[in-house]
Amino acid sequence: MCGIIGYWNKELEAFPILLESLKKLEYRGYDSFGFATSFENKLLTERQVGKVSSAKCPILPGKIGIGHTRWATHGKVTEKNTHPHRDCSGKIAVVHNGIIENFQELKNSLLNKNHNFLSETDTEVISHLIEEKLEQGMNLKDAVIEIGSLLKGRNSFVVLNSETKEIIAFRKGSPLIVGITKENGTSEVFIASDIQAFLDKTKKVMYLDDNQIVIIKENPEFYNVKTKDKIEKRLIKIALDTKDAEKGDYSHYMLKEIMEQKETLAKAINQNDKDLMHVSQEINNARGVFFVGCGTAARVCHTAEYIFSKIADKHVNFIPASEFENYKHFLLPETLVIAVSQSGETADVLEALEIAKQRGSKIISIINTQSSSIDKISDYTFLIKAGPEKAVASTKATTSQIVVLILLAYACAGKLKEGERFLIDVAGKVNDMLNPRYEEHIKKLAEIIYQRENIFIIGRGINYPMALESAIKIMEVSYIHAQGFAGGELKHGPIALIEKATPVIVLVANDDVRQEIISNAIEVKSRGAYVIGVSPENNPIFDYWIKTPDVNGEASSIINLVAVQLLAYYLGILRGHDVDYPRSLAKSVTVK
Ligand code: F6R
């Protein structure tokens, strides 16, 4: 949430580089954006409301600078609330990601000292606090250490002092990564929320960890905030490819990422068998297994209850990460907490894992982002290897996460090889399913229902959490009110909302609840619903049939979801929305 970039060099103009880098971070928030550079020891800034990718910006001169793309938390979406935020002297600029929980108290004390605040943000206190320290004669490094430690909550920020031409970053909570390139005698140093920001320039990185600062210069210097000791960091060469994060011939990342499921499922299956067996033993021996995640990843965690029950005869629990604290008294050193996350940076998940760590429980994670904060806090990580997911709505990461859950469940049941063979077959069926004719058939359905105000989705068994996930997908990109229900729950209230022609999507599989979900479909049909069957077989009650490959058991969740992802995409397109960047959302939710 919020993208941060900082850039240092001695020869090149910083602004064009900052601009291109910030565009690559747009998925982290796109309410407004801004830049600050140091030119002839003066601070220059440019801030605008809207998306950086579609903006026209005057070029700021200067060789060093910072930038920010905002997802608004404190203060409305206005130019004055846009980062960077300055101090009273006009030489300090700050970009920030997080929420300063004690900002009001800090702001009150600064107001008492006659600091002039220009925004409603929490961030601006950082600029004025640094100003105070510099006025007291402290250097910027010590000021950043002191102020960073004063802020409550998860906060990462980058400070530019235009007068001394220094850039210093502080990290606690959300990620900051340093990138370094030295070519033909020219050194360039980046600091960013995500490697993607500078991946086309360098693959050599150093990770800033929590409670550390880094001075951005030719040879960046890292310090521990608590001990103030200098830290030696390894320069790591990462293996990511920029091509993976580009749209290629697709009009949208979302469509590209849905289509990539032709390959990503097979990549997710390709885990190390020894690791799977080792973790499955941990699961089998644990006193309590809790899956935690947020949003779509939480729906994946919910499927774990069905997957482990059906495949491994094993009871596991699912808890939305934001509710995890309420369950902490169940956590023992023998308890296992399994986090599911695409970004590996979601604040609520991290908080849940910190609680688990304090209670001595073991942590396993199923994530898409190596070296992310969740990766670092975990005792064991499974990477889903889905490649960068740029569209805000998660698609390919979701199905790959389910693949890893199914593999683990088979491993727990002592049938790993059988599980792998089964999933390879499923991956092949998804490959066949995602063809242009299929896409066209789903697009036609979208044309029939895109003007409706409500869409309901029902499922039973593992297709119940998938009904919930389908609703998230449809809502977030089409802004149509969509709600998922367990088929059997419909008549306990929600059926009152079914009117003539209300679309109801029925997720069907050839499993032991098939007949019951068809009965639920008949119930809504008799109230006038327009029944859309997502099913391996047609049925006379379907007004529209989306044929799905017939797969056994829990993998129907993957197949049915892929069909609904495509439908959500076309509903969003037909309603004229920016499906990659839905309003009010951000890809990486690094605030609570
Ligand atoms: C919805 C979506 C979000 C994320 C949630 C968790 O399409 O993508 O609901 O699933 O914000 O994000 P990660 O998986 O990065 O922890």
Side-chain angles (χ1 to χ4, degrees):
M1 213 148 240
C2 296
I4 289 178
I5 179 75
Y7 177 74
W8 176 100
N9 92 122
K10 282 185 182 158
E11 281 149 47
L12 304 168
E13 282 300 303
F15 189 78
I17 295 161
L18 285 169
L19 180 63
E20 283 316 303
S21 295
L22 199 63
K23 283 181 186 170
K24 302 201 182 86
L25 296 179
E26 189 166 78
Y27 71 91
R28 300 182 71 89
Y30 31 86
D31 289 330
S32 63
F33 66 91
F35 299 95
T37 60
S38 166
F39 180 63
E40 293 176 349
N41 301 73
K42 297 264 171 326
L43 187 71
L44 303 180
T45 57
E46 171 62 22
R47 304 186 303 177
Q48 291 184 23
V49 169
K51 289 183 182 157
V52 64
S53 57
S54 48
K56 292 212 176 3
C57 295
I59 294 171
L60 303 177
K63 310 253 184 290
I64 68 166
I66 57 177
H68 185 270
T69 179
R70 179 173 188 238
W71 186 86
T73 56
H74 287 57
K76 290 185 283 296
V77 179
T78 58
E79 197 224 297
K80 73 176 177 139
N81 288 332
T82 299
H83 301 219
H85 290 288
R86 288 153 294 193
D87 69 333
C88 301
S89 75
K91 64 183 182 196
I92 297 295
V94 173
V95 289
H96 163 231
N97 183 2
I99 291 178
I100 304 169
E101 288 165 10
N102 54 338
F103 102 96
Q104 198 56 59
E105 179 188 323
L106 295 169
K107 184 168 177 173
N108 290 345
S109 84
L110 287 160
L111 285 169
N112 285 339
K113 292 177 188 159
N114 293 325
H115 281 268
N116 184 19
F117 277 79
L118 301 173
S119 77
E120 303 153 334
T121 65
D122 52 345
T123 306
E124 199 182 338
V125 298
I126 304 175
S127 323
H128 295 283
L129 286 167
I130 287 179
E131 177 190 358
E132 286 268 310
K133 294 291 165 198
L134 296 187
E135 270 175 15
Q136 288 163 16
M138 206 177 256
N139 63 33
L140 187 62
K141 174 185 137 229
D142 290 339
V144 169
I145 289 179
E146 198 153 309
I147 303 309
S149 315
L150 207 64
L151 308 178
K152 291 209 175 119
R154 317 177 77 82
N155 292 287
S156 294
F157 60 88
V158 181
V159 184
L160 167 68
N161 183 339
S162 60
E163 202 173 71
T164 55
K165 292 190 177 291
E166 291 171 287
I167 298 179
I168 302 187
F170 172 96
R171 174 183 169 162
K172 189 172 136 210
S174 39
L176 285 175
I177 302 144
V178 175
I180 300 178
T181 152
K182 281 189 183 150
E183 263 173 34
N184 311 323
T186 307
S187 295
E188 295 173 83
V189 184
F190 295 84
I191 175 107
S193 316
D194 184 340
I195 294 166
Q196 298 298 337
F198 51 73
L199 201 55
D200 55 342
K201 295 276 192 310
T202 183
K203 292 191 169 61
K204 290 186 186 144
V205 303
M206 288 167 157
Y207 289 95
L208 186 63
D209 293 321
D210 275 351
N211 294 308
Q212 292 180 354
I213 66 154
V214 57
I215 305 176
I216 301 297
K217 54 186 190 171
E218 188 155 6
N219 294 307
E221 277 176 25
F222 293 77
Y223 292 88
N224 180 316
V225 166
K226 293 196 172 139
T227 62
K228 299 200 178 167
D229 290 338
K230 197 166 169 193
I231 309 163
E232 292 309 321
K233 290 264 178 183
R234 260 185 339 123
L235 194 61
I236 299 165
K237 188 147 191 267
I238 45 160
L240 285 175
D241 196 334
T242 41
K243 276 206 309 295
D244 295 342
E246 284 160 13
K247 265 191 285 201
D249 292 336
Y250 288 98
S251 47
H252 295 93
Y253 285 113
M254 185 177 176
L255 185 60
K256 175 189 176 233
E257 288 158 10
I258 292 171
M259 290 303 169
E260 279 176 347
Q261 292 173 111
K262 282 162 147 309
E263 290 145 27
T264 48
L265 299 180
K267 287 185 187 160
I269 299 166
N270 189 14
Q271 300 289 337
N272 182 317
D273 283 4
K274 261 203 202 133
D275 296 349
L276 286 166
M277 289 313 297
H278 173 75
V279 170
S280 69
Q281 270 164 23
E282 299 259 358
I283 295 174
N284 282 335
N285 296 336
R287 275 187 71 193
V289 179
F290 294 92
F291 282 82
V292 289
C294 290
T296 289
R299 306 285 78 80
V300 172
C301 293
H302 194 170
T303 66
E305 292 189 335
Y306 294 89
I307 289 170
F308 281 84
S309 156
K310 286 282 165 69
I311 298 172
D313 208 4
K314 170 99 198 148
H315 172 70
V316 299
N317 306 277
F318 142 64
I319 302 170
S322 54
E323 292 294 318
F324 190 76
E325 205 188 353
N326 299 305
Y327 295 80
K328 68 179 176 204
H329 51 282
F330 294 132
L331 301 176
L332 305 166
E334 307 82 48
T335 305
L336 200 57
V337 176
I338 305 186
V340 178
S341 171
Q342 190 286 126
S343 61
E345 298 294 349
T346 301
D348 283 324
V349 181
L350 274 164
E351 291 241 338
L353 299 184
E354 278 155 18
I355 293 170
K357 197 126 227 163
Q358 280 157 20
R359 305 279 300 189
S361 305
K362 265 225 173 107
I363 298 170
I364 295 195
S365 58
I366 299 171
I367 56 170
N368 197 27
T369 316
Q370 196 164 17
S371 304
S372 56
S373 305
I374 294 179
D375 185 10
K376 286 180 184 159
I377 199 175
S378 300
D379 296 295
Y380 219 93
T381 297
F382 288 102
L383 290 173
I384 58 169
K385 306 170 196 163
E389 194 181 65
K390 299 278 286 214
V392 165
S394 182
T395 53
K396 61 176 180 173
T398 315
T399 48
S400 291
Q401 288 158 351
I402 298 175
V403 161
V404 175
L405 293 188
I406 294 178
L407 272 180
L408 273 173
Y410 270 100
C412 284
K415 300 188 290 191
L416 179 55
K417 284 289 156 210
E418 185 188 323
E420 283 168 352
R421 279 194 300 274
F422 165 60
L423 284 167
I424 288 165
D425 179 56
V426 173
K429 285 179 170 150
V430 170
N431 190 3
D432 297 344
M433 173 184 171
L434 284 170
N435 61 57
R437 231 165 8 109
Y438 199 74
E439 207 184 322
E440 201 47 45
H441 184 62
I442 290 182
K443 193 170 162 196
K444 270 205 193 109
L445 170 63
E447 280 160 5
I448 297 169
I449 62 171
Y450 80 98
Q451 284 171 317
R452 310 305 306 185
E453 280 173 16
N454 302 295
I455 295 180
F456 297 98
I457 309 102
I458 56 171
R460 279 177 175 255
I462 194 156
N463 282 297
Y464 162 44
M466 286 302 95
L468 302 178
E469 165 54 13
S470 300
I472 293 183
K473 273 309 77 84
I474 292 172
M475 265 189 287
E476 67 184 332
V477 295
S478 73
Y479 315 156
I480 297 172
H481 167 243
Q483 251 180 298
F485 293 101
E489 284 297 301
L490 208 64
K491 53 186 161 296
H492 298 286
I495 203 162
L497 298 172
I498 306 293
E499 298 174 337
K500 190 168 172 349
T502 305
V504 178
I505 301 172
V506 188
L507 304 180
V508 188
N510 263 336
D511 56 13
D512 49 8
V513 289
R514 186 181 166 280
Q515 208 38 59
E516 280 101 324
I517 195 71
I518 295 290
S519 301
N520 298 139
I522 294 169
E523 287 159 11
V524 291
K525 177 86 171 183
S526 52
R527 269 108 191 141
Y530 182 77
V531 176
I532 299 151
V534 179
S535 163
E537 285 146 20
N538 203 353
N539 190 294
I541 56 146
F542 296 159
D543 293 292
Y544 202 96
W545 176 39
I546 300 179
K547 186 175 182 345
T548 50
D550 192 359
V551 294
N552 282 329
E554 311 322 302
S556 66
S557 53
I558 296 174
I559 300 276
N560 288 347
L561 186 57
V562 169
V564 179
Q565 289 170 349
L566 264 177
L567 176 64
Y569 170 78
Y570 279 110
L571 288 172
I573 294 292
L574 287 165
R575 288 170 73 99
H577 301 318
D578 186 348
V579 291
D580 282 342
Y581 301 113
R583 69 182 177 207
S584 305
L585 298 177
K587 183 74 184 158
S588 194
V589 184
T590 52
V591 291
K592 285 208 296 170

